[in-house]
Amino acid sequence: MSISDSEQKLMELIWENEPMKSGALVILAAEKLGWKKSTVYTVVKKLSVKGIIKNENAVISSLRDREDVIGEKSERIISKSYGSLPMFLTAFLSREKLTKAEAEELKRLIDEYTED
């Protein structure tokens, strides 16, 4: 399930404030994102069709966790742009050096998520 940048911006507001009335979301999106009411409702409809949120009786709440949605988006970006996670890391590290603490954290994560 693909989520656009604009959909992600609205989702961040929803995740931080859910459940919330659609009117309150319109006000918050106007304040934080500069969006008009029609824009909010258009994006809400798209997110609802994608099964990421539900809008029942004008109360909006998420159906998917932030980590899942952002994780899937990150995987698609890495796959599309770099082909694989190792290729992404190679490209990233060729421009950016890690601190010892960052390297240790990455090693720990790799060990934690490595298949047996």
Side-chain angles (χ1 to χ4, degrees):
M1 183 63 53
S2 181
I3 184 172
S4 70
D5 291 342
S6 60
E7 290 168 342
Q8 183 177 339
K9 287 177 184 177
L10 193 64
M11 280 308 304
E12 294 294 344
L13 296 179
I14 294 168
W15 283 316
E16 291 172 10
N17 299 284
E18 69 179 311
M20 65 186 310
K21 295 253 183 204
S22 59
L25 180 59
V26 167
I27 292 168
L28 189 60
E31 291 172 1
K32 301 282 185 179
L33 305 174
W35 287 11
K36 295 180 180 180
K37 180 180 179 179
S38 59
T39 303
V40 174
Y41 286 128
T42 298
V43 176
V44 163
K45 177 146 177 93
K46 288 180 181 181
L47 290 167
S48 186
V49 167
K50 290 181 178 185
I52 297 173
I53 65 168
K54 67 178 177 178
N55 185 2
E56 284 185 343
N57 301 319
V59 176
I60 298 172
S61 56
S62 66
L63 295 172
R64 306 268 318 275
D65 291 333
R66 182 183 190 281
E67 293 75 21
D68 290 339
V69 173
I70 302 304
E72 288 175 10
K73 183 176 182 180
S74 299
E75 288 171 12
R76 277 190 306 281
I77 290 169
I78 289 171
S79 178
K80 183 178 177 181
S81 300
Y82 298 95
S84 69
L85 182 58
M87 290 177 74
F88 165 75
L89 288 173
T90 300
F92 180 83
L93 293 173
S94 70
R95 294 190 165 111
E96 187 87 19
K97 295 298 179 195
L98 298 176
T99 65
K100 283 194 179 258
E102 290 170 331
E104 290 300 320
E105 177 66 8
L106 283 174
K107 288 176 189 174
R108 185 192 66 74
L109 288 169
I110 289 168
D111 289 342
E112 182 178 333
Y113 290 100
T114 299
E115 293 179 3
D116 290 330

